[in-house]
């Protein structure tokens, strides 16, 4: 097989941005007055070329060699130094950051498209620039002017990089148990001591300076998350002009040996009286950090889409080249002729293309939260994005993993062999369901915080928007299949959410046990909604339009019936998880 390293999905992106979504509320509006479809197309075309030609080739080598810890320092995998230099010099790091800080000032819909291609071509690489962008966004909103003006332009330019330092051995999902201490110094800075674990790119040889964004506890602070404050802890002290000074005792002591994502160093980072600067005020650490986490959460979801999409593209090439089966007295036929292979391709494709539309929908809402003409419009868009973010994070990463797994299946035995280049996708993607808030925590967030504790406002608007689209296309007989499947799915979701809302406060554990199934339902309903919109726009005779119509029908007839089971699982009382005491449940062997 002679497959390219990575195939950027530019045709599909163009279809979505130019034929499906209405971007008139973003392109041409402040602060995006200069942005047009021509610019979006040019940026994504160039980004696709970069992903295919520069990042794609370092992906497999990075997996084979991995990041190394040598003489107390992290050395990145072969090719990473050159790829990062090109990425930085191309201005890609600050694509959506404001121009006054050296960014390119593009809306998130364009950044999201780029993120899919960077992630799909080399997920391990994509982690680094993502953290720089996310930290810059946080600092623009919360840092004091002097600090902001020194650090942000350097992050935006990719001259410096950033990390996110939350996890500790005893504080994983339970961030409130953070034990790292920060004590005040006479000069207004702070002294941090403690150990952070699993810190992505906690050290590397790609840039001279690293800005660690770390949560720590100040003296006398209350227990739990209310006692946490946020600090920036630089690898080297720095002056206002950016000149680097003494090495700060923020030292990586080891890196992890992992299942996948081997070229992304995952570090144990020790703060031993390291100098830090508070950002966002004492006790506001977690709230402030969420400005970084939310940027990263969208992209953690995009990992599922990007890597799943890359696996799909490899499978599409393979099933046309590999010959197996057919009549014994005739030449063998390509795999793509077999019904079961077609089922897998239809499944992978219809799931990936729905997720790509969901990615743009989420990014569009985040953009509208800035550009919408009225305060109410901006608030609604922000709330819609907040509703979609946990769905995107958990549904994309779980679905992308399943798609990558199906790609391996299409390859048969060769799929299990490293040279084919698909088994890496499964290994790399596995972690995306775990970090950036595990998928279980996302489901809890969706059901408890966004559905139950919000009086259903975000959920109500989500349902209303789907209903409006169903009504808008009610007179289109060609859309009957996908419309009916979507209406049926929505009715099931409505039944479960009504059952959750009817639970007395003390019995919400039943909703927690059903939350994973509820989130899976919302992911499928949102996918079907995207398919309705794509099929409605695909009225022409081109291969792309014909494919869209058929994939919508497939999603309706083959994948939406999964909602029957999911509804049953999500209903309070179905997950009977409390019948056994813990000791009986775990005794084994
Ligand atoms: C490759 C990699 C890179 C990472 N990069 C970073 C990084 O750059 N910075 C950083 O700070 N961290 C990073 N992490 C850490 C990651 O964010 C954590 O692993 C994750 O938050 C989960 O924490 P934990 O591993 O302690 O698991 P735990 O919190 O122990 O969770 C174990 C299981 O229990 C479930 N669970 C836990 N609490 C609850 C609850 N209250 N209700 C229901 N279920 C629950 C979880 O969903 C999960 O399934 C990284 C991890 C990996 C593997």
């Amino acid at each position: 097989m002679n497959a390219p390293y990575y195939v950027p999905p530019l045709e599909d992106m163009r279809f979505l941005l130019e034929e499906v979504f209405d971007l008139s509320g973003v392109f041409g509006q402040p602060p995006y007055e200069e942005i047009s479809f021509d610019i979006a197309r040019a940026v994504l075309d160039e980004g696709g070329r970069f992903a295919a030609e520069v990042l794609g080739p370092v992906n497999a080598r990075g997996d084979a060699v991995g990041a190394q810890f040598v003489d107390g320092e992290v050395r990145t995998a072969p090719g990473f130094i050159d790829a990062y230099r090109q990425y930085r010099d191309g201005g890609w790091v600050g694509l959506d950051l404001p121009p006054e800080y050296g960014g390119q000032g593009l809306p998130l819909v364009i950044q999201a498209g780029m993120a899919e291609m960077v992630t799909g071509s080399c997920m391990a690489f994509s982690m680094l620039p993502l953290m720089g962008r996310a930290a810059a966004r946080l600092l623009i909103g919360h840092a004091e002017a002097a600090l902001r003006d020194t650090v942000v332009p350097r992050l935006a330019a990719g001259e410096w990089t950033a990390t996110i330092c939350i996890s500790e051995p005893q504080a994983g999902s339970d961030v409130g148990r953070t034990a790292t201490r920060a004590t005040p110094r006479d000069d207004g800075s702070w002294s941090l001591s403690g150990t952070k674990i699993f810190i992505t790119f906690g050290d590397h040889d790609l840039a001279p300076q690293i800005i660690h964004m770390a949560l720590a506890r100040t003296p006398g602070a209350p227990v739990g998350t209310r006692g946490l404050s946020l600090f920036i802890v630089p690898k080297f002290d720095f002056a206002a002009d950016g000149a680097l000074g003494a090495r700060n005792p923020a030292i990586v002591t080891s890196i992890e040996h992992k299942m996948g994502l081997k070229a992304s160093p995952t570090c144990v980072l020790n703060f031993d009286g390291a100098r830090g600067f508070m950002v966002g005020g004492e006790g506001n650490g977690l709230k402030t950090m969420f400005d970084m986490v939310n940027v990263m959460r969208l992209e953690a979801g995009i990992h599922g889409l990007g890597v799943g999409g890359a696996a799909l593209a490899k499978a599409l090439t393979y099933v046309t080249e590999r010959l197996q089966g057919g009549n014994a007295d005739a030449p063998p036929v390509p795999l793509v002729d077999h019904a079961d292979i077609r089922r897998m391709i239809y499944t992978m494709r219809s799931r990936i293309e729905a997720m790509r539309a969901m990615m743009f929908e989420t990014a569009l809402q985040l953009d509208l939260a800035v550009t919408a003409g009225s305060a109410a419009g901006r608030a609604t868009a922000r709330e819609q994005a907040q509703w979609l973010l946990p769905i995107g994070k958990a549904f994309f990463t779980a679905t992308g993993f399943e798609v990558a797994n199906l790609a391996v299946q299409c390859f048969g035995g060769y799929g299990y062999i490293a040279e084919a280049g698909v088994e890496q996708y499964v290994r790399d993607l596995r972690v995306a369901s775990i970090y950036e808030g595990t998928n279980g925590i996302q489901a809890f967030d969706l059901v408890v915080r966004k559905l139950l504790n919000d009086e259903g406002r975000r959920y109500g608007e989500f349902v209303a928007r789907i209903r409006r689209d169903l009504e808008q296309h009610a007179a289109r007989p060609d859309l009957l299949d996908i419309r009916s499947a979507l209406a049926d799915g929505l009715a099931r979701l409505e039944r479960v959410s009504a059952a959750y809302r009817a639970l007395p406060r003390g019995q919400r554990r039943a909703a927690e046990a059903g939350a994973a199934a509820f989130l899976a339902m919302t992911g499928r309903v949102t996918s079907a909604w995207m398919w309705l919109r794509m099929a409605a726009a695909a009225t022409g005779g081109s291969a792309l339009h014909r494919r869209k119509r058929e994939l919508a029908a497939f999603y309706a007839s083959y994948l939406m019936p999964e909602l029957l089971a999911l509804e049953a699982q999500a209903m309070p009382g179905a997950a009977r998880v409390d019948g056994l005491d813990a000791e009986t449940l775990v005794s084994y062997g």
Side-chain angles (χ1 to χ4, degrees), residues 131 164-167 172-174 197-200 258 261 266 431 434-438 440-441:
M131 290 185 294
I164 182 165
C165 297
I166 300 178
S167 302
S173 305
D174 195 358
I197 60 167
F198 294 149
I199 304 308
T200 299
K258 308 192 296 285
L261 218 56
T266 304
V431 73
I434 296 169
Y435 59 31
E436 285 313 313
T438 66
I441 298 293

Side-chain angles (χ1 to χ4, degrees), residues 297-497:
R297 204 153 268 182
L298 173 62
E299 287 210 17
I302 294 175
H303 290 158
L305 165 63
V307 177
L312 163 68
K314 285 236 164 78
L316 292 176
T317 305
Y318 190 75
V319 298
T320 50
E321 291 182 353
R322 168 78 171 161
L323 306 175
Q324 281 293 284
N327 288 335
D329 55 359
V333 299
L335 290 179
V336 70
D337 282 3
H338 300 299
D340 190 53
I341 292 284
R342 283 175 161 254
R343 173 191 65 80
M344 292 193 276
I345 299 290
Y346 269 90
T347 299
M348 291 191 277
R349 214 170 172 146
S350 62
R351 298 188 104 185
I352 289 290
E353 292 182 17
M355 287 198 288
R356 187 168 296 125
M358 284 171 72
M359 167 186 79
F360 283 131
E361 168 65 26
T362 310
L364 175 58
Q365 295 305 321
L366 287 164
D367 282 333
L368 288 170
V370 176
T371 62
S374 67
R378 290 193 293 276
T380 305
R382 191 169 51 248
E383 289 187 352
Q384 278 308 284
Q386 287 165 349
W387 170 259
L388 290 168
L389 276 172
I391 303 171
K393 195 296 173 170
F395 180 70
F396 285 20
T397 53
T399 307
F401 180 72
E402 286 170 22
V403 166
N405 223 355
L406 276 180
V408 170
Q409 198 68 20
C410 288
F411 274 73
Y414 294 102
Y416 201 67
I417 307 299
E419 281 78 3
V422 280
E423 54 82 44
Q424 182 191 345
Y425 294 133
V426 178
R427 287 186 289 104
D428 282 357
L429 203 42
R430 184 62 189 86
V431 73
S433 298
I434 296 169
Y435 59 31
E436 285 313 313
T438 66
N439 286 6
I441 298 293
Q442 303 299 325
F444 178 89
D445 179 48
L446 185 73
V447 167
V448 176
R449 294 201 197 100
K450 309 265 159 75
L451 179 71
L452 297 177
N453 289 354
D454 174 60
E455 284 134 22
R457 216 178 49 242
R458 297 177 177 103
Y459 170 75
E461 175 65 18
F462 168 74
V463 171
R465 294 181 67 217
I466 296 178
R467 284 204 197 293
R468 279 200 290 276
D469 280 350
L470 280 167
E471 273 160 33
Q472 190 195 333
H473 301 302
R476 292 264 307 260
D478 56 318
L479 301 174
L480 184 63
D481 289 353
I482 185 67
R483 246 187 32 237
S484 312
L486 175 58
D488 176 74
L490 193 59
R492 293 178 190 282
L493 199 64
E494 286 278 67
R495 283 199 287 272
V496 177
S497 67

Side-chain angles (χ1 to χ4, degrees), residues 250-332:
I251 307 282
V252 165
T253 54
S254 62
I255 65 174
E256 307 294 346
H257 302 280
K258 308 192 296 285
M259 171 179 181
L261 218 56
K262 290 175 189 281
S264 163
T266 304
C267 307
V268 175
L269 178 63
N270 244 352
F271 296 135
D272 188 9
R275 184 156 184 247
F277 305 90
M278 189 184 279
V279 174
E282 196 163 355
N284 294 328
L286 193 62
K287 193 164 144 270
T288 312
M289 187 65 119
F290 255 83
D291 278 12
M292 184 166 180
V293 168
N294 277 335
V295 175
M296 295 184 67
R297 204 153 268 182
L298 173 62
E299 287 210 17
I302 294 175
H303 290 158
L305 165 63
V307 177
L312 163 68
K314 285 236 164 78
L316 292 176
T317 305
Y318 190 75
V319 298
T320 50
E321 291 182 353
R322 168 78 171 161
L323 306 175
Q324 281 293 284
N327 288 335
D329 55 359

Side-chain angles (χ1 to χ4, degrees), residues 109-308:
V109 282
I110 301 178
Q111 160 60 34
M114 182 62 187
E116 179 191 341
M117 297 188 288
V118 175
T119 305
S121 54
C122 189
M123 179 174 163
F125 177 92
S126 73
M127 309 291 295
L128 183 64
L130 162 61
M131 290 185 294
R133 265 183 64 231
R137 280 229 168 266
L138 183 157
L139 293 171
I140 290 170
H142 301 282
E144 283 171 15
L147 194 65
R148 182 193 64 204
D149 293 346
T150 302
V151 177
V152 173
R154 290 176 173 80
L155 289 177
E159 286 169 29
W160 294 1
T161 69
T163 68
I164 182 165
C165 297
I166 300 178
S167 302
E168 298 182 11
Q170 75 298 337
S173 305
D174 195 358
V175 177
R177 296 194 192 273
T178 297
T180 296
R181 301 257 149 213
T183 47
R185 298 182 184 217
D186 294 341
D187 63 358
S189 67
W190 295 74
S191 183
L192 272 78
S193 293
T195 300
K196 297 286 178 182
I197 60 167
F198 294 149
I199 304 308
T200 299
F201 281 100
D203 190 30
H204 57 76
D205 51 10
L206 303 178
Q209 171 73 306
I210 303 175
I211 300 292
H212 302 294
M213 310 288 291
L215 287 179
R217 196 172 290 286
T218 51
V223 296
T225 52
R226 284 184 310 126
L228 298 179
S229 303
L230 175 65
F231 299 86
I232 77 163
V233 183
K235 178 174 174 180
F236 291 97
D237 280 343
F238 59 86
D241 66 357
L244 300 185
R247 179 76 162 92
N248 209 3
I251 307 282
V252 165
T253 54
S254 62
I255 65 174
E256 307 294 346
H257 302 280
K258 308 192 296 285
M259 171 179 181
L261 218 56
K262 290 175 189 281
S264 163
T266 304
C267 307
V268 175
L269 178 63
N270 244 352
F271 296 135
D272 188 9
R275 184 156 184 247
F277 305 90
M278 189 184 279
V279 174
E282 196 163 355
N284 294 328
L286 193 62
K287 193 164 144 270
T288 312
M289 187 65 119
F290 255 83
D291 278 12
M292 184 166 180
V293 168
N294 277 335
V295 175
M296 295 184 67
R297 204 153 268 182
L298 173 62
E299 287 210 17
I302 294 175
H303 290 158
L305 165 63
V307 177

